[in-house]
């Protein structure tokens, strides 16, 4: 086949005859006849022999001669030598790389060839009639192979190589494999056979000459001694023989770290000094241990393995620096302990069992911590003080003392004061030298049972050093308050009550607080025991009953009873007080339910106190004043004159244009009241005087009845004027009172002088002087004119 033929061509011999097979024909150098056969249609096939000959089939690369390199010769049996045959060459490089002589069939290479660019060329040749251009032979394929020479040196795939190998590795540990390639033909000779060798890097490393694998050559290589190595590897072709070409590369080998070194403290004894005022959580000092390893192999942990102050200090590892940080956990006190000793241990975190035989990977060191004295505030003996004092204690009575001291070496004297912000009333004071607390003012447990003050202790030599302590003062109870009613009792008794009937249950209260609890005793006051209408029954449980002493009570005879009750306590010294219980007499139904009481009783039952009544009265007065002011403002409005003419020369004209409706006008008041004064309810209160409950009304005999309507009205008005003028209970302010009424059709007729049929001189105004002091001004005005006219 063609592939087998090609393989044979790739391995040529100079004395060999090369056969090229094409589908059209087979050329046999032996001159045997063509073979016959049939195709798919049964047509006989016949192979004709071809007489082509080749002188050379290989071409040397990198030809340096001046003439063109001869390749070979094409020849056909049809060529008679008369020049009628023309040879044609096609395929790879035909016409450019290779040229053919059309007449002779000689093929030449026109330029220098490189096998590494192209190892062989496939060409096609045919013979045609020069004149008719008809093919004399079928097209044949042949191969021109470039013969290789050793013109390429080996080249490494990388330059440089980077490799890492653990330190302390055994001999023969693999590091890295290097690879070099040669562009020459590996199937022909030794041009591409590469051998590796090490030029630099002995005696630490070696290289396998066939594979290029680099290995360690010395045991115990220590990274801490030397970490980086430069190894030069050579690759040489021609199997390393003389004349071969070579190439080199550099391999940078780094020893990676392993944990083969223990940590070591930089000191065997560390010394730190800290003030006693150092806050817990603060850093006391930093210790350091060194490890020749790096990375995680150098990570270490610190711990305290011994201390004369357990729990006072702690140590932690700073992961960024691998230092040990000593931290304070509890407050320091120079006066209690001046110095502390610690024993520290450091150990690697990540251990390698392979190197356990090299010794323990830990170290120990000692730490001495000295506490420095700091001037601190005084210290009280107790965190707080509780004192007790009786509420009847006299002034300047000492109730207790506080004590503080300066624990520093200076031992400064202490001065005591009270923070007055905690004792604004200045109830207590303290002795500045010995801390004795005493009473400055009288105490009252019922007002304040506890006093919380703050006492300050200050160093005499350094007033800025101040400490405080709370002092709780309890005021003890003394029986200095008398018991009283537990509530404001409002009690009534029915008129039909029976003897020994309970009408009220009373209790008592006392602001004192005896240790054994309250015990109250109830009884009727001795001064009222003989004539008492009620009795007190002590229930001996701090309550008592109010009982009736007789059958039946009359509200008309007496509507209110006052029962004095004496309440005593059971403490020492005994305190007692007299409390008055007000009992109203009311009418009740058969079941004892109240039906009606007098005015005072109803007021009391309604729960109106004296203050509420005063407030209501003030509101009523204010409303009345508003009404009066409003009426006065209306009266002051400008009146229209009766005569609007400009010829009116009178100086003063008084206009009365407000008339009522006479007897028919019943909207304002009842005229019968004026005509019959006897029908007036004497209990009806006037709005311009105080209520009758405070000032009883003056009873005067009613005037005798008369049938003269005008006389009734006049007498009534006169009587009211006299009552008002002589009434000592009249209010001390001006008030408006109406005493007369005029309307259309009145029997008294009109009082206006404008409509009078008589002249002004015919009028008799002497009766005005009889109307009292309120009409004195009017009587003087009219009476004077009359006398003046007569004179």
């Amino acid at each position: 086949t063609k592939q087998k033929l090609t393989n044979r061509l790739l391995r040529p011999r100079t004395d060999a005859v090369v056969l090229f097979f094409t589908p059209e024909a087979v050329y046999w150098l032996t001159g045997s006849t063509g073979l016959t056969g049939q195709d798919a249609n049964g047509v006989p096939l016949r192979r004709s022999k071809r007489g082509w000959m080749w002188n050379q089939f290989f071409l040397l690369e990198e030809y340096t001669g001046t003439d063109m390199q001869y390749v070979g010769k094409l020849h056909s049996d049809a060529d008679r030598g008369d020049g009628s045959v023309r040879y044609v060459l096609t395929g790879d490089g035909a016409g450019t790389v290779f040229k053919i002589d059309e007449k002779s069939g000689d093929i030449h290479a026109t330029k220098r060839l490189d096998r590494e660019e192209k190892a062989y060329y496939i060409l096609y040749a045919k013979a045609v009639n020069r004149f008719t251009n008809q093919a004399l032979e079928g097209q044949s394929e042949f191969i021109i192979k470039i013969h290789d020479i050793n013109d390429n040196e080996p080249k490494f795939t990388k330059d440089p190589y980077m490799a890492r190998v653990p330190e302390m590795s055994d001999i023969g540990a693999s590091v890295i494999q290097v690879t070099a390639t040669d562009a020459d033909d590996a199937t022909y000779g030794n041009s591409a056979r590469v051998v590796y060798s090490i030029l630099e890097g002995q005696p630490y490393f070696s290289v396998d000459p066939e594979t290029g694998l680099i290995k360690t050559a010395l045991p115990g290589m220590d990274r801490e001694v030397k970490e980086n190595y430069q190894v030069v590897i050579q690759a040489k072709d021609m199997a390393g023989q003389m004349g071969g070409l070579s190439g080199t590369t550099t391999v940078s080998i780094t020893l990676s770290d392993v944990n083969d070194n223990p940590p070591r403290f930089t000191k065997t004894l560390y010394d730190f000094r800290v003030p006693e005022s150092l806050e817990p959580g603060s850093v006391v000092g930093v210790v350091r241990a060194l490890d020749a390893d790096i990375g995680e192999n150098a990570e270490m942990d610190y711990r305290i393995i011994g201390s004369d102050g357990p729990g006072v200090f702690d140590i932690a590892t700073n992961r960024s620096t691998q230092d040990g940080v000593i931290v304070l956990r509890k407050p320091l006190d120079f006066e209690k302990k001046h110095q502390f000793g610690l024993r520290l241990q450091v150990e690697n975190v990540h251990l390698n069992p392979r190197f356990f035989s090299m010794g323990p990977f830990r170290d120990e060191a000692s730490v001495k911590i000295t506490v420095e004295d700091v001037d601190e505030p005084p210290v009280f003996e107790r965190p707080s003080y509780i004192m007790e004092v009786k509420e009847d204690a006299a002034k300047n009575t000492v109730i207790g003392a506080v004590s503080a001291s300066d624990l520093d070496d200076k031992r400064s004297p202490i001065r005591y004061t009270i923070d007055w912000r905690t004792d604004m009333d200045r109830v207590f004071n303290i002795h500045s030298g010995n801390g004795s607390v005493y009473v400055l003012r009288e105490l009252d447990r019922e007002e304040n049972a506890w006093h919380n003050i703050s006492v300050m202790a200050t160093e005499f030599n350094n007033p800025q050093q101040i400490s405080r302590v709370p002092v709780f003062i309890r005021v003890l109870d003394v029986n200095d308050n008398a018991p009283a009613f537990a509530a404001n009792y409002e009690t009534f008794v029915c008129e039909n009550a029976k003897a020994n009937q309970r009408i009220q249950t009373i209790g008592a209260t006392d602001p004192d607080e005896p240790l054994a609890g309250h015990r109250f005793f109830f009884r009727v006051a001795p001064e009222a025991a003989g004539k008492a209408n009620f009795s007190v029954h002590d229930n001996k449980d701090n309550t008592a009953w109010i009982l009736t002493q007789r059958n039946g009570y009359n509200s008309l005879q007496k509507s209110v009873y006052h029962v004095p009750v004496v309440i005593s306590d059971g403490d020492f010294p005994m305190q007692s007080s007299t409390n008055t219980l007000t009992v109203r007499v009311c009418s009740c139904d058969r079941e004892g339910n109240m039906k009606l009481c007098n005015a005072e009783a109803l007021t009391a039952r309604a729960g109106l106190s004296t203050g509420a009544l005063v407030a209501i009265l003030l509101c009523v007065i204010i409303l009345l004043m508003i009404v009066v002011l409003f009426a006065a403002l209306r009266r002051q409005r400008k009146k229209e004159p009766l005569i609007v003419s400009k010829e009116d020369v009178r100086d003063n004209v008084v206009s009365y244009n407000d008339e009522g409706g006479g007897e028919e006008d019943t909207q304002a008041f009842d005229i019968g009241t004026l005509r019959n004064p006897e029908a007036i309810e004497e209990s009806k209160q006037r709005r311009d005087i105080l209520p009758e409950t405070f000032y009883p009304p003056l009873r005067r005999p009613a005037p005798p009845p008369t049938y003269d309507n005008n006389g009734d009205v006049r007498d009534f008005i006169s009587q009211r004027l006299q009552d008002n003028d002589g009434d000592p209970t009249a209010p001390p302010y001006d008030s408006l009172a109406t005493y007369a009424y005029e309307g259309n059709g009145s029997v008294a007729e009109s009082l206006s002088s404008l409509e009078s049929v008589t002249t002004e001189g015919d009028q008799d105004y002497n009766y005005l002087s009889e109307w009292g002091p309120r009409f004195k001004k009017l009587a003087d005005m009219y009476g004077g004119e009359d006398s003046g006219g007569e004179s």
Side-chain angles (χ1 to χ4, degrees):
T1 65
K2 185 184 295 184
Q3 182 64 35
K4 291 182 178 180
L5 179 60
T6 303
N7 293 336
R8 291 183 60 190
L9 289 177
L10 294 177
R11 295 188 298 273
R13 294 179 59 186
T14 56
D15 57 349
V17 177
V18 180
L19 299 180
F20 290 90
F21 295 90
T22 63
E24 293 83 3
V26 177
Y27 174 68
W28 295 96
L29 295 179
T30 58
S32 62
T33 60
L35 298 178
T36 62
Q38 294 180 353
D39 59 6
N41 298 325
V43 178
L45 295 177
R46 185 176 180 178
R47 298 177 180 173
S48 60
K49 67 177 181 179
R50 177 178 298 163
W52 286 12
M53 298 176 60
W54 293 88
N55 295 330
Q56 188 171 352
F57 303 101
F58 289 90
L59 197 64
L60 289 178
E61 66 171 337
E62 305 295 342
Y63 175 71
T64 58
T66 57
D67 299 332
M68 290 189 298
Q69 190 176 2
Y70 181 76
V71 177
K73 181 181 181 64
L74 292 179
H75 180 74
S76 174
D77 292 343
D79 188 1
R80 305 298 182 193
D82 55 0
S84 61
V85 178
R86 181 170 62 89
Y87 293 95
V88 179
L89 183 66
T90 60
D92 292 341
T96 57
V97 179
F98 302 99
K99 287 186 177 182
I100 188 171
D101 189 337
E102 294 180 353
K103 293 181 179 181
S104 62
D106 292 332
I107 301 174
H108 292 82
T110 61
K111 63 180 181 180
R112 182 177 173 180
L113 300 178
D114 188 357
R115 189 201 68 85
E116 285 70 36
E117 291 183 2
K118 193 172 181 63
Y120 60 90
Y121 297 84
I122 299 176
L123 298 173
Y124 301 94
K126 63 180 178 178
V128 298
N129 189 297
R130 182 182 301 274
F131 304 104
T132 62
N133 207 28
Q134 291 182 351
L136 300 178
E137 297 287 348
Q139 180 175 282
S140 299
E141 179 185 86
F142 62 94
I143 298 173
I144 299 176
K145 186 176 182 297
I146 308 302
H147 187 73
D148 182 49
I149 64 174
N150 188 19
D151 59 344
N152 292 279
E153 73 277 4
K155 293 184 179 180
F156 285 92
T157 56
K158 292 181 181 179
D159 189 19
Y161 285 86
M162 307 297 293
R164 297 180 66 86
V165 63
E167 63 173 331
M168 311 298 292
S169 296
D170 296 332
I171 295 178
S174 297
V175 179
I176 191 174
Q177 185 175 12
V178 297
T179 302
T181 60
D182 195 324
D184 294 327
D185 188 2
T187 62
Y188 178 75
N190 294 325
S191 298
R193 184 180 177 184
V194 178
V195 175
Y196 300 95
S197 62
I198 184 168
L199 300 181
E200 295 182 12
Q202 298 96 341
Y204 306 105
F205 299 97
S206 63
V207 63
D208 188 298
E210 298 292 335
T211 63
L213 178 63
I214 300 176
K215 301 179 181 180
T216 58
L218 282 180
M221 287 190 293
D222 193 352
R223 184 199 67 83
E224 289 74 32
V225 176
K226 185 175 182 180
E227 182 177 6
N228 297 312
Y229 295 86
Q230 297 293 330
V231 178
V232 178
I233 302 297
Q234 182 188 63
K236 190 174 183 179
D237 58 10
M238 298 301 291
Q241 299 176 3
M242 293 295 293
L245 303 178
S246 65
T248 60
T249 187
T250 301
V251 182
S252 179
I253 301 176
T254 301
L255 297 183
S256 60
D257 184 61
V258 297
N259 190 11
D260 59 341
N261 293 279
R264 291 289 180 263
F265 280 106
T266 58
K267 298 179 181 179
T268 57
L269 177 62
Y270 293 87
D271 191 359
F272 301 106
R273 303 181 69 87
V274 294
E276 63 174 331
S277 60
L278 190 68
E279 296 290 335
S282 302
V283 176
V284 175
V286 177
V287 297
R288 176 170 296 177
L290 299 180
D291 192 330
D293 299 321
I294 60 175
E296 67 175 15
N297 296 319
E299 293 181 1
M300 57 192 76
D301 282 335
Y302 296 85
R303 64 175 179 269
I304 299 175
I305 60 176
S307 173
D308 57 359
V312 179
F313 302 95
D314 195 6
I315 190 169
T317 303
N318 185 339
R319 290 302 175 190
S320 61
T321 61
Q322 299 301 320
D323 293 336
V325 181
I326 302 175
V327 180
L328 179 65
R329 290 302 179 198
K330 293 182 180 180
L332 300 175
D333 191 349
F334 173 81
E335 289 71 29
K336 292 182 179 179
K337 191 172 181 61
H338 298 353
Q339 185 174 312
F340 292 88
L342 306 178
R343 188 68 181 170
L344 303 182
Q345 184 183 79
V346 62
E347 184 177 13
N348 279 136
V349 178
H350 306 284
L351 300 179
N352 191 337
R354 178 185 171 192
F355 302 101
F356 281 170
S357 60
M358 300 180 67
F361 285 80
R362 67 177 64 93
D363 195 15
E364 295 182 0
S366 299
V367 178
K368 183 177 70 173
I369 301 175
T370 303
V371 181
E372 298 178 343
D373 187 26
V374 175
D375 191 6
E376 297 175 308
V379 178
F380 283 94
E381 292 181 352
R382 302 178 188 175
S384 63
Y385 291 84
I386 298 178
M387 302 178 183
E388 294 181 345
V389 58
K390 290 187 176 181
E391 61 178 319
D392 61 349
K395 295 181 180 179
N396 298 325
T397 300
V398 177
I399 61 175
V402 299
S403 178
S405 59
D406 183 14
L407 302 180
D408 299 325
D409 291 340
K410 300 178 182 179
R411 302 292 179 182
S412 174
I414 305 300
R415 184 170 61 90
Y416 301 94
T417 56
I418 292 179
D419 187 352
W420 296 118
R421 292 176 296 181
T422 62
D423 187 18
M424 301 296 291
D425 297 331
R426 301 295 197 272
V427 181
F428 304 96
N429 203 351
I430 189 171
H431 192 281
S432 61
N434 57 26
S436 298
V437 180
Y438 56 91
V439 179
L440 202 60
R441 293 178 52 187
E442 294 181 355
L443 302 174
D444 187 358
R445 189 201 67 84
E446 288 70 34
E447 180 181 351
N448 199 348
W450 284 89
H451 295 269
N452 302 329
I453 63 175
S454 178
V455 175
M456 300 183 297
T458 306
E459 289 186 8
F460 188 81
N461 297 332
N462 187 3
Q464 295 181 352
Q465 297 297 334
I466 302 174
S467 59
R468 301 170 183 268
V469 67
V471 179
F472 308 102
I473 302 174
R474 179 183 180 185
V475 181
L476 301 178
D477 185 37
V478 175
N479 192 26
D480 56 349
N481 292 278
F485 277 150
N488 185 18
Y489 297 106
E490 299 290 345
T491 307
F492 72 94
V493 63
C494 295
E495 291 181 325
N496 57 358
K498 304 299 182 181
N500 292 325
Q501 181 179 342
R502 181 176 64 181
I503 63 172
Q504 181 68 47
T505 301
I506 61 175
T509 183
D510 190 340
D512 295 323
E513 293 182 359
L515 297 178
H518 288 296
R519 177 66 178 92
F520 299 119
F521 303 93
F522 301 87
R523 70 179 188 278
V524 177
E527 63 271 12
K531 54 181 179 179
N533 293 284
F534 301 92
S535 63
V536 177
H537 179 269
D538 193 344
N539 297 325
K540 302 186 183 303
D541 61 352
N542 293 339
T543 63
W545 292 342
I546 305 299
L547 305 177
T548 58
Q549 286 288 83
R550 57 186 175 87
N551 295 326
Y553 294 85
N554 192 340
S555 60
L556 297 179
Q557 294 179 357
K558 192 170 185 178
S559 61
V560 178
Y561 290 91
H562 298 285
V563 182
V565 180
V566 178
I567 307 176
S568 303
D569 57 20
D571 204 357
F572 180 83
M574 182 178 292
Q575 301 287 342
S576 63
S577 64
T578 300
N579 301 265
T580 301
L581 178 67
T582 301
V583 182
R584 311 287 180 181
V585 180
C586 303
S587 60
C588 304
D589 57 15
R590 293 181 180 181
E591 285 77 15
N593 298 321
M594 182 183 66
K595 293 173 60 180
L596 181 62
C597 281
N598 56 22
E600 293 184 66
L602 288 175
T603 304
R605 296 297 295 177
L608 294 176
S609 61
T610 304
L613 291 174
V614 172
I616 293 174
L617 184 59
L618 289 175
C619 292
V620 172
I621 293 174
I622 293 172
L623 290 175
L624 289 175
M625 291 178 65
I626 293 173
V627 173
V628 172
L629 290 174
F630 181 73
L633 290 174
R634 291 190 61 183
R635 286 197 302 271
Q636 290 178 3
R637 291 185 302 179
K638 184 177 181 181
K639 304 292 185 177
E640 294 182 1
L642 294 177
I643 302 174
V644 192
S645 174
K646 296 181 180 180
E647 296 177 356
D648 188 359
V649 296
R650 288 176 294 178
D651 296 330
N652 297 310
V653 176
V654 180
S655 175
Y656 299 93
N657 59 353
D658 189 10
E659 292 190 47
E663 285 79 357
E664 292 80 2
D665 187 1
T666 60
Q667 298 300 323
F669 56 85
D670 189 2
I671 193 62
T673 303
L674 297 176
R675 295 174 178 174
N676 299 292
E678 301 85 5
I680 300 176
E681 294 179 5
E682 295 182 355
S683 62
K684 187 175 182 181
Q685 298 179 357
R686 289 167 52 185
R687 293 184 298 174
D688 57 337
I689 63 174
L690 297 176
E692 291 180 357
T693 55
F694 299 92
Y695 298 95
L698 296 177
R699 296 180 180 272
R700 293 183 175 85
T706 176
Y707 297 97
D708 185 0
N709 290 340
N710 294 334
D712 290 344
V713 175
R714 186 165 43 250
D715 294 341
F716 171 75
I717 293 175
S718 299
Q719 182 64 38
R720 287 302 183 186
L721 285 173
Q722 291 179 8
D723 292 345
N724 189 68
D725 293 339
D727 188 0
T729 64
Y733 50 81
D734 295 337
S735 62
L736 180 63
T738 303
Y739 301 105
Y741 171 79
E742 180 182 4
N744 293 333
S746 174
V747 294
E749 297 182 353
S750 177
L751 297 177
S752 175
S753 61
L754 297 178
E755 298 178 359
S756 176
V757 297
T758 62
T759 61
E760 187 176 347
D762 296 334
Q763 297 294 327
D764 184 8
Y765 298 102
N766 292 330
Y767 61 86
L768 293 176
S769 62
E770 300 176 0
W771 287 8
R774 302 208 178 208
F775 293 88
K776 185 176 182 302
K777 182 66 176 176
L778 189 60
D780 292 342
M781 291 173 61
Y782 286 91
E785 293 178 0
D786 291 343
S787 59
E790 293 175 358
S791 59

